[in-house]
Amino acid sequence: MSRPPVPSKAGPSPGVRPRPWAGRFLLLVLAGNMLIDGLEVSVVVVALPSIGADLGLSPWQVQWAMGGFALGFGALLLPGRRLVSRFGHRRLYLGALALFVLASVAGGLTDEPLLLLISRTVKGMCAALTAPTGLAIISTTYGEASTRARALSVYTFCGGIGFTTGLLLAGALAPHDWHWTFVATAPVAAVLLVLAAAAVPRQQPGPAEPITPMVRRLLSSGALLRPALGAALLNGTYLGLLSLMAHQAWNLLHWSPWQTAAAFLPACLPLALTALSAGRVVARFGAPRLVVLGAALHLAGLLLYARLDLPRSYATDLLPTLALVGIGFVPAFAALNAQAGRAVGTADRGTATASYQTAVQAGAVAVPAAVAALLTFGPQGGPVGDAAHRPALLLLCALAALGLLVALRGLTARPPVGVAGR
């Protein structure tokens, strides 16, 4: 799933300090856009089966309606830093938001699978520009540390509740016409674009380091690689499980998209409810232990589901797994964000954020794609029979187990230079 970027600890660059009303207006625009970015990931999950049935697409083909957004997001995060350096925060933010509106309308009006995929990928690329740029605008506009911290909390919170909002929106719209799930964000984004034109200040960041040297240097840091790998596995298996369950709910349990969205709430509500307090929890209990706890609960939920031949009852078969996965995701992902943010020095933190988020999106692309491939091309391909879903579940369990091993390794790893004692 698409998650809020790791907040940078770097101090703000000198700039114009906004008046209180102007600061609140700017934050409203930036946070609203962040909510849309989080929404765009989940709004497709419960609609995937109905889209596939309407367009005659296999699980492998239709899953790219979800994976295309993550693909575009991850592909442009690192190059986006150079684009921001060249065009400036304001120009790039407004341009990406305008293109997002156009791509939303195009995706909602088409029945052509290729155009649908292209529109989703373009929207992901736009989010890769607006999300970190919005974070940079906050970091450079709000001069006082306390004001900046509150703005970052609101920004992060809106990204967290966006995923839950997307599920509910899809559940409401998809039963009528799945096209609405793609076009629904266009009018909201258009309003935000008008407001952003008045609110976003003119800022010109400094030159960005070339992509190849900065990635090579950061990849040599185990302190960053470990949370990046853990987050990729956690995010990928989370979305892979939801996509698998969505197909089973449609084909086996014959649920409507609204029923599926409501059923998935235990897996996503914990993230929305704890978004504002996650930082305090990590500070109190320590990131390594929370990563292990979350990864263990995540694996336990998957193993509990894998024991079933076929799910029949929501209360006894799906709910326990969704609850464990949802509860486990919250501490693990918040702690992984914290670890990535502390993995490098202040000067490299922006690049570390982009590298880490690229890994998160890579998991969101690769794992659901592998699940869909096993459903389509595995034994007795199709999402209903036991022979079809069993290999996909075993893959998810194996990846979750790997994530737990990576988390356990973090318990004994030495903190990065300059981090110990902070």
Side-chain angles (χ1 to χ4, degrees), residues 196-239:
V200 176
R202 298 183 183 275
Q203 298 171 322
Q204 182 62 44
E209 183 182 2
I211 297 173
T212 303
M214 66 185 183
V215 172
R216 185 184 302 117
R217 178 157 46 85
L218 289 170
L219 287 179
S220 64
S221 169
L224 178 61
L225 281 176
R226 188 167 49 254
L229 177 59
L233 292 169
L234 184 69
N235 195 38
T237 52
Y238 178 88
L239 291 175

Side-chain angles (χ1 to χ4, degrees), residues 159-195:
I161 66 173
F163 192 86
T164 304
T165 305
L167 282 179
L168 297 176
L169 182 65
L173 297 178
H176 302 287
D177 190 337
W178 59 262
H179 293 83
W180 285 108
T181 62
F182 293 96
V183 77
T185 54
V188 180
V191 172
L192 289 175
L193 174 60
V194 175
L195 298 178

Side-chain angles (χ1 to χ4, degrees), residues 324-417:
L324 282 172
V325 168
I327 294 172
F329 190 93
V330 171
F333 206 82
L336 288 165
N337 280 345
Q339 286 181 327
R342 296 196 303 259
V344 297
T346 300
D348 292 326
R349 198 152 291 156
T351 303
T353 297
S355 301
Y356 172 79
Q357 289 295 326
T358 298
V360 172
Q361 300 309 318
V365 173
V367 179
V371 168
L374 289 172
L375 291 178
T376 304
F377 306 113
Q380 300 180 18
V384 177
D386 175 64
H389 85 265
R390 180 65 59 182
L393 267 176
L394 293 178
L395 172 65
L396 292 175
C397 290
L399 293 176
L402 177 59
L404 180 57
L405 291 176
V406 173
L408 290 170
R409 175 67 180 85
L411 284 176
T412 58
R414 299 177 61 182
V417 176

